[in-house]
Amino acid sequence: MTRVLPDELSGSFATRAIHAGQRPDPMSGAIMTPIYQTSTYVQDAVGENKGYEYARGRNPTREALERNVASLEGGQHGFAFSSGTGCLDSIMKLFQSGDHIVCGENVYGGTFRLFDKLLTRFGLRFTYVDSRDLQKVADAMTPETRGVVIETPTNPLMRLTDIAGCAGIAHRHDAILIVDNTFTTPYFQRPLEYGADIVWHSTTKYLNGHSDMIGGLAVLNDDVLAERLQFILNAAGAVPGPFDAWLVLRGTKTLHLRMRQHDANGRAMAAWLADRVGEDRVYYPGLASHPQHDLAKRQMSGFGGMISVDLGTRERAVQVLNRVRVFSLAESLGGVESLISHPASMTHASVEASRRDSIGLSDGLIRLSCGVEDEGDLIGDIEQAMG
Ligand SMILES: *Cc1c(COP(=O)(O)O)cnc(C)c1O
């Protein structure tokens, strides 16, 4: 179980991003954490080892990453996984058959698929609610509810949920609050500070930031919960390889720099789009016209580079997607390069059309992940693609 050292929780974000969890290699003094590419560790004698026995349980490269991200989220314990989805699957193993979970209705498509297609077969029960409305979350709670799962802002409609409000509801019912913080990252939003019990990421996205690996990571404070998650991590085994862990660790060193630029580009693009197609068609929490802009300002310190735009029809959306030159047509988000996608046929294709309609995810919707290229080039690209 990786616990953050007390001194790794103080100091500014930028300094912790670069240093937390890392110290020069004791053997050589190498400033960069080595990639401990090993499956096992030689023991000094029977029953005597250096704390490492087999790499599914512990790996020093992975531990450096776990301490680093735990520090950035302001939590005591970090757990790295082989994907964001694998991370959530392991978190959900904290529950047992018969438990009831209240989940935001507009979560990542793969989160819904995991719950609806797999975990219901193991006796977990889910109720999906529009978690923008805390009353709906409270009304869905039952005596069997043990967890509340939210994502804020949501993908792709950029709807927000009041984290502190949800934590209060969950805790009154003896349930834990689990927050997907992939979109905002700890640079702009730290759910544990608002009472969340577990915050998790697809590190594939902003934390790594370079679109060259798949991974997940969970951070929490409670020692008992952390011990149970460590057991699951080792027993179920969805661990990342050391090289992937090292890539994320390299990524987090520039998280603050990248997020500032994603945010600047996101704000500029959102303002330009609002001007071009009308602010009611642009979904970006940083716009004053966003219906939850006040909540955004309260629990986020920046808004990042994710924007969705409703272009009205599928034909219009497809036209823009096929014409972009700087943006690349691809799933995923959070890398230094800008990506554009069509949620209805890409990330949310696993969500049935009727369900997509009911949550407002239309065929004309496109999603932009603004990278860190030149702001003028990005806006110019969308302008030429719109024709
Ligand atoms: C990508 C993503 C996930 C899933 O993570 P993987 O690393 O692809 O398994 C979960 N939540 C959000 C918000 C995501 O964007």
Side-chain angles (χ1 to χ4, degrees):
M1 189 159 89
T2 305
R3 180 186 273 281
V4 174
L5 305 175
D7 67 316
E8 291 173 345
L9 282 168
S10 61
S12 73
F13 190 96
T15 306
R16 282 181 287 133
I18 292 165
H19 295 289
Q22 295 156 77
R23 49 193 46 88
D25 171 45
M27 196 188 87
S28 65
I31 190 162
M32 285 302 140
T33 305
I35 303 166
Y36 285 90
Q37 193 75 40
T38 190
S39 59
T40 191
Y41 308 90
V42 177
Q43 313 206 358
D44 299 329
V46 174
E48 272 178 48
N49 58 57
K50 299 180 169 61
Y52 298 93
E53 292 167 80
Y54 184 64
R56 181 167 10 85
R58 293 183 69 186
N59 176 287
T61 316
R62 193 168 98 208
E63 288 174 341
L65 171 67
E66 290 171 335
R67 290 223 303 278
N68 181 261
V69 178
S71 162
L72 297 182
E73 285 286 3
Q76 294 289 339
H77 306 280
F79 299 91
F81 293 88
S82 53
S83 71
T85 312
C87 173
L88 180 61
D89 183 56
S90 286
I91 291 170
M92 297 308 285
K93 289 188 171 97
L94 291 166
F95 300 111
Q96 59 188 24
S97 176
D99 285 353
H100 174 252
I101 316 291
V102 174
C103 180
E105 66 177 4
N106 184 213
V107 289
Y108 177 73
T111 294
F112 177 70
R113 180 176 54 195
L114 171 69
F115 290 179
D116 190 56
K117 299 283 187 295
L118 280 180
L119 298 184
T120 50
R121 287 171 35 205
F122 296 90
L124 289 186
R125 289 173 306 114
F126 297 89
T127 300
Y128 300 93
V129 298
D130 182 347
S131 56
R132 283 176 296 182
D133 182 349
L134 287 179
Q135 192 56 49
K136 291 193 173 141
V137 176
D139 289 348
M141 303 296 286
T142 72
E144 286 75 43
T145 308
R146 295 280 78 86
V148 176
V149 173
I150 59 168
E151 192 180 310
T152 180
T154 61
N155 174 24
L157 292 165
M158 308 305 286
R159 293 176 177 166
L160 307 193
T161 295
D162 181 332
I163 301 170
C166 261
I169 295 168
H171 296 159
R172 273 197 293 285
H173 289 81
D174 213 13
I176 59 170
L177 176 65
I178 299 167
V179 182
D180 181 341
N181 202 28
T182 300
F183 263 41
T184 313
T185 84
Y187 187 61
F188 287 137
Q189 173 173 279
R190 286 177 296 282
L192 296 178
E193 290 175 5
Y194 294 97
D197 299 281
I198 302 182
V199 54
W200 69 279
H201 287 268
S202 167
T203 54
T204 314
K205 317 293 168 55
Y206 285 110
L207 292 191
N208 175 56
H210 295 76
S211 309
D212 51 14
M213 51 71 69
I214 298 274
L217 205 142
V219 179
L220 51 152
N221 273 317
D222 186 82
D223 291 347
V224 175
L225 219 49
E227 241 168 78
R228 289 172 57 206
L229 194 57
Q230 171 65 39
F231 180 83
I232 294 166
L233 181 119
N234 185 49
V239 298
F243 183 53
D244 284 350
W246 183 87
L247 284 171
V248 184
L249 198 52
R250 159 175 277 206
T252 55
K253 287 184 196 297
T254 56
L255 181 65
H256 51 298
L257 302 175
R258 289 185 285 108
M259 291 314 292
R260 277 181 216 147
Q261 195 60 42
H262 285 297
D263 186 59
N265 287 353
R267 286 175 200 240
M269 176 68 82
W272 182 84
L273 283 167
D275 212 41
R276 173 76 190 243
V277 302
E279 56 186 20
D280 54 324
R281 287 168 167 257
V282 181
Y283 303 93
Y284 185 70
L287 286 177
S289 56
H290 188 285
Q292 295 170 289
H293 183 59
D294 286 342
L295 174 60
K297 283 192 294 190
R298 209 157 68 230
Q299 68 185 18
M300 304 164 79
S301 55
F303 312 107
M306 299 304 300
I307 307 171
S308 290
V309 196
D310 195 340
L311 296 177
T313 63
R314 184 187 182 90
E315 291 64 39
R316 184 83 179 115
V318 167
Q319 180 194 37
V320 171
L321 291 167
N322 285 338
R323 278 195 196 161
V324 289
R325 297 191 195 124
V326 180
F327 277 83
S328 298
L329 176 61
E331 289 195 11
S332 201
L333 61 108
V336 289
E337 63 290 307
S338 293
L339 301 180
I340 193 164
S341 69
H342 186 236
S345 65
M346 294 168 73
T347 47
H348 287 62
S350 59
V351 180
E352 288 105 32
S354 58
R355 204 186 140 72
R356 287 203 302 267
D357 282 346
S358 77
I359 59 178
L361 202 162
S362 74
D363 279 358
L365 196 78
I366 62 169
R367 190 189 76 180
L368 282 65
S369 169
C370 297
V372 300
E373 301 97 331
D374 178 76
E375 165 191 315
D377 288 346
L378 295 182
I379 293 174
D381 190 37
I382 297 299
E383 185 169 26
Q384 67 78 26
M386 284 184 162

